[in-house]
Coordinates of all heavy atoms in Angstrom, one line a residue:
S1248 N -0.8 8.7 0.8 CA 0.2 9.5 1.4 C 0.5 10.8 0.6 O 0.6 11.9 1.2 CB 1.5 8.7 1.6 OG 1.3 7.6 2.5
R1249 N 0.6 10.6 -0.7 CA 0.9 11.8 -1.6 C -0.2 12.8 -1.6 O 0.1 14.0 -1.6 CB 1.1 11.3 -3.0 CG 2.5 10.9 -3.4 CD 2.7 10.8 -4.8 NE 1.6 10.1 -5.6 CZ 1.5 8.8 -5.7 NH1 2.4 8.0 -5.2 NH2 0.5 8.3 -6.4
E1250 N -1.4 12.4 -1.5 CA -2.5 13.4 -1.6 C -3.0 13.9 -0.3 O -3.9 14.7 -0.2 CB -3.7 12.7 -2.4 CG -4.4 11.6 -1.6 CD -5.4 10.8 -2.5 OE1 -5.2 10.8 -3.7 OE2 -6.3 10.3 -1.9
T1251 N -2.4 13.5 0.8 CA -2.8 13.9 2.2 C -1.8 15.0 2.6 O -0.6 14.6 2.9 CB -2.8 12.7 3.1 OG1 -3.7 11.7 2.6 CG2 -3.3 13.2 4.5
P1252 N -2.2 16.2 2.6 CA -1.2 17.3 2.8 C -0.4 17.3 4.1 O 0.7 17.6 4.2 CB -2.1 18.6 2.8 CG -3.4 18.2 2.3 CD -3.5 16.7 2.4
W1253 N -1.0 16.8 5.2 CA -0.3 16.7 6.5 C 0.5 15.5 6.7 O 1.2 15.3 7.7 CB -1.3 16.9 7.6 CG -2.5 15.9 7.5 CD1 -3.7 16.3 7.0 CD2 -2.6 14.6 7.9 NE1 -4.6 15.2 7.0 CE2 -3.9 14.1 7.6 CE3 -1.7 13.7 8.5 CZ2 -4.3 12.8 7.8 CZ3 -2.1 12.4 8.7 CH2 -3.4 12.0 8.4
M1254 N 0.5 14.6 5.7 CA 1.2 13.3 5.9 C 2.6 13.4 5.2 O 2.7 13.6 4.0 CB 0.3 12.2 5.2 CG 0.9 10.8 5.3 SD 0.9 10.2 7.0 CE 1.8 8.7 6.9
P1255 N 3.6 13.2 6.1 CA 4.9 13.1 5.5 C 5.1 11.8 4.6 O 4.3 10.9 4.8 CB 5.9 13.1 6.7 CG 5.1 12.5 7.8 CD 3.6 12.9 7.5
M1256 N 6.0 11.7 3.8 CA 6.3 10.5 3.0 C 7.4 9.7 3.7 O 8.6 9.9 3.4 CB 6.7 10.9 1.6 CG 5.6 11.5 0.7 SD 4.2 10.3 0.3 CE 5.0 9.2 -0.8
P1257 N 7.0 8.9 4.7 CA 8.1 8.2 5.5 C 8.8 7.1 4.7 O 9.8 6.6 5.0 CB 7.3 7.7 6.7 CG 5.9 7.5 6.2 CD 5.7 8.6 5.2
H1258 N 8.1 6.6 3.6 CA 8.7 5.5 2.8 C 8.7 5.8 1.3 O 7.8 6.5 0.8 CB 7.8 4.3 3.1 CG 7.7 3.9 4.5 ND1 8.8 3.4 5.3 CD2 6.7 4.0 5.4 CE1 8.4 3.2 6.5 NE2 7.1 3.6 6.6
S1259 N 9.6 5.2 0.7 CA 9.7 5.3 -0.8 C 8.7 4.3 -1.4 O 8.2 3.4 -0.7 CB 11.1 4.9 -1.3 OG 11.3 3.5 -1.1
P1260 N 8.3 4.4 -2.7 CA 7.5 3.4 -3.3 C 8.0 2.0 -3.2 O 7.2 1.1 -3.0 CB 7.4 3.9 -4.8 CG 7.6 5.4 -4.7 CD 8.6 5.6 -3.6
R1261 N 9.3 1.8 -3.3 CA 9.9 0.5 -3.1 C 9.7 0.0 -1.7 O 9.4 -1.2 -1.6 CB 11.4 0.6 -3.5 CG 12.1 -0.8 -3.2 CD 13.5 -0.7 -3.5 NE 13.6 -1.2 -4.9 CZ 14.5 -1.0 -5.8 NH1 15.5 -0.1 -5.5 NH2 14.5 -1.5 -7.0
E1262 N 9.8 0.8 -0.7 CA 9.6 0.4 0.7 C 8.1 0.0 0.9 O 7.8 -0.9 1.6 CB 10.0 1.5 1.6 CG 11.5 1.6 1.7 CD 11.9 2.9 2.5 OE1 11.3 3.9 2.4 OE2 13.0 2.8 3.2
D1263 N 7.2 0.8 0.2 CA 5.8 0.5 0.3 C 5.5 -0.9 -0.3 O 4.7 -1.7 0.2 CB 4.9 1.6 -0.4 CG 4.8 2.8 0.4 OD1 5.1 2.8 1.7 OD2 4.4 3.8 -0.2
R1264 N 6.1 -1.2 -1.4 CA 6.0 -2.5 -2.0 C 6.4 -3.6 -1.1 O 5.8 -4.7 -1.0 CB 6.7 -2.6 -3.4 CG 5.9 -2.0 -4.5 CD 6.5 -2.3 -5.9 NE 7.9 -1.9 -6.0 CZ 8.3 -0.6 -6.3 NH1 7.4 0.3 -6.6 NH2 9.6 -0.4 -6.5
R1265 N 7.6 -3.4 -0.5 CA 8.1 -4.4 0.4 C 7.2 -4.6 1.6 O 6.9 -5.7 2.1 CB 9.5 -4.1 0.9 CG 10.6 -4.4 0.0 CD 12.0 -4.3 0.6 NE 12.8 -3.7 -0.3 CZ 13.5 -2.5 -0.2 NH1 13.5 -1.9 1.0 NH2 14.2 -2.0 -1.1
F1266 N 6.7 -3.5 2.1 CA 5.7 -3.5 3.2 C 4.5 -4.3 2.9 O 4.0 -5.2 3.6 CB 5.4 -2.1 3.7 CG 4.2 -2.0 4.6 CD1 4.4 -2.4 6.0 CD2 3.0 -1.5 4.2 CE1 3.3 -2.3 6.9 CE2 1.9 -1.4 5.1 CZ 2.1 -1.8 6.4
L1267 N 3.9 -4.0 1.7 CA 2.7 -4.7 1.2 C 3.0 -6.2 1.0 O 2.1 -7.1 1.3 CB 2.1 -4.1 0.0 CG 1.0 -3.1 0.3 CD1 -0.2 -3.7 0.9 CD2 1.4 -1.9 1.1
S1268 N 4.1 -6.5 0.5 CA 4.5 -7.9 0.2 C 4.5 -8.7 1.6 O 4.1 -9.8 1.7 CB 5.8 -8.1 -0.5 OG 5.7 -7.6 -1.8
R1269 N 5.1 -8.0 2.6 CA 5.2 -8.6 3.9 C 3.8 -8.8 4.5 O 3.5 -9.8 5.1 CB 6.1 -7.8 4.8 CG 6.5 -8.5 6.1 CD 7.6 -7.7 6.9 NE 7.1 -6.4 7.3 CZ 7.6 -5.3 6.9 NH1 8.5 -5.2 5.9 NH2 7.1 -4.1 7.4
L1270 N 2.9 -7.7 4.4 CA 1.6 -7.8 4.9 C 0.8 -9.0 4.3 O 0.2 -9.8 5.0 CB 0.8 -6.6 4.6 CG 0.8 -5.4 5.6 CD1 -0.1 -4.3 5.1 CD2 0.5 -5.8 7.0
I1271 N 0.9 -9.1 3.0 CA 0.2 -10.2 2.3 C 0.7 -11.6 2.7 O 0.0 -12.5 2.9 CB 0.4 -10.0 0.7 CG1 -0.4 -8.8 0.3 CG2 0.0 -11.3 0.0 CD1 -0.1 -8.3 -1.1
A1272 N 2.0 -11.7 3.0 CA 2.6 -13.0 3.4 C 2.3 -13.3 4.8 O 2.1 -14.5 5.2 CB 4.1 -12.9 3.2
E1273 N 2.2 -12.3 5.7 CA 2.1 -12.6 7.1 C 0.7 -12.4 7.7 O 0.4 -12.8 8.9 CB 3.1 -11.7 7.9 CG 4.5 -12.0 7.5 CD 5.5 -11.0 8.1 OE1 5.1 -10.1 8.9 OE2 6.7 -11.2 7.9
Q1274 N -0.2 -11.6 7.1 CA -1.5 -11.3 7.6 C -2.6 -11.7 6.7 O -2.4 -12.1 5.6 CB -1.5 -9.8 7.9 CG -0.5 -9.4 8.9 CD -0.6 -7.9 9.3 OE1 -1.6 -7.3 9.0 NE2 0.4 -7.4 9.9
E1275 N -3.8 -11.6 7.2 CA -5.0 -11.8 6.4 C -5.3 -10.5 5.7 O -5.5 -9.5 6.3 CB -6.2 -12.2 7.2 CG -7.4 -12.4 6.4 CD -8.6 -12.9 7.2 OE1 -8.5 -13.4 8.3 OE2 -9.7 -12.6 6.7
V1276 N -5.2 -10.5 4.3 CA -5.4 -9.3 3.6 C -6.6 -9.6 2.7 O -6.6 -10.5 1.9 CB -4.2 -8.9 2.7 CG1 -4.5 -7.7 1.8 CG2 -3.0 -8.6 3.6
T1277 N -7.6 -8.8 2.8 CA -8.8 -8.8 2.0 C -8.7 -7.7 1.0 O -8.5 -6.5 1.3 CB -10.1 -8.6 2.8 OG1 -10.1 -9.6 3.9 CG2 -11.3 -8.8 2.0
T1278 N -8.8 -8.1 -0.3 CA -8.6 -7.1 -1.4 C -10.0 -6.9 -2.0 O -10.7 -7.8 -2.3 CB -7.7 -7.7 -2.5 OG1 -6.4 -7.9 -1.8 CG2 -7.4 -6.6 -3.6
L1279 N -10.3 -5.6 -2.2 CA -11.6 -5.2 -2.9 C -11.2 -5.0 -4.4 O -10.3 -4.3 -4.7 CB -12.1 -3.9 -2.3 CG -13.3 -3.4 -2.9 CD1 -14.5 -4.3 -2.5 CD2 -13.6 -2.0 -2.3
R1280 N -12.0 -5.7 -5.3 CA -11.7 -5.6 -6.7 C -12.9 -5.2 -7.5 O -14.0 -5.5 -7.1 CB -11.2 -7.0 -7.2 CG -10.0 -7.6 -6.6 CD -9.8 -9.0 -7.1 NE -8.8 -9.6 -6.4 CZ -7.5 -9.4 -6.5 NH1 -7.1 -8.5 -7.3 NH2 -6.6 -10.0 -5.7
D1281 N -12.7 -4.6 -8.6 CA -13.7 -4.4 -9.6 C -13.1 -4.7 -11.0 O -12.0 -5.3 -11.0 CB -14.3 -3.0 -9.6 CG -13.4 -1.9 -9.9 OD1 -12.3 -2.2 -10.5 OD2 -13.7 -0.7 -9.7
W1282 N -13.7 -4.4 -12.1 CA -13.2 -4.7 -13.4 C -11.9 -4.1 -13.7 O -11.2 -4.6 -14.6 CB -14.3 -4.4 -14.5 CG -14.6 -2.9 -14.5 CD1 -15.5 -2.2 -13.8 CD2 -13.9 -1.9 -15.3 NE1 -15.5 -0.9 -14.1 CE2 -14.5 -0.7 -15.1 CE3 -12.9 -2.0 -16.3 CZ2 -14.1 0.5 -15.7 CZ3 -12.5 -0.8 -16.9 CH2 -13.1 0.4 -16.6
R1283 N -11.5 -3.1 -12.9 CA -10.2 -2.4 -13.1 C -9.1 -3.1 -12.3 O -7.9 -2.7 -12.4 CB -10.3 -1.0 -12.8 CG -11.1 -0.2 -13.8 CD -11.4 1.2 -13.3 NE -12.3 1.1 -12.2 CZ -13.2 2.0 -11.9 NH1 -13.2 3.2 -12.5 NH2 -14.1 1.9 -10.9
G1284 N -9.4 -4.0 -11.4 CA -8.5 -4.7 -10.6 C -8.6 -4.2 -9.1 O -9.7 -3.8 -8.7
A1285 N -7.6 -4.4 -8.4 CA -7.6 -4.1 -6.9 C -8.0 -2.6 -6.7 O -7.3 -1.7 -7.3 CB -6.3 -4.4 -6.3

């Protein structure tokens, strides 16, 4: 969101964390990892 010039920032970082926590709890989330993590 930050690096996309036309994208407004509709959510704070805290709201993004809550959103991701809800996605992980309620949906199938596939995470791509390498030696640095997700």
Side-chain angles (χ1 to χ4, degrees):
S1248 294
R1249 273 193 318 274
E1250 67 190 31
T1251 304
W1253 49 264
M1254 182 68 187
M1256 291 292 288
H1258 304 288
S1259 69
R1261 173 177 267 153
E1262 290 170 322
D1263 284 344
R1264 280 191 301 278
R1265 278 192 225 124
F1266 170 73
L1267 264 296
S1268 293
R1269 194 171 63 250
L1270 272 184
I1271 291 166
E1273 297 173 0
Q1274 297 183 15
E1275 180 179 339
V1276 177
T1277 303
T1278 304
L1279 180 69
R1280 301 175 191 284
D1281 67 11
W1282 62 273
R1283 293 170 285 213

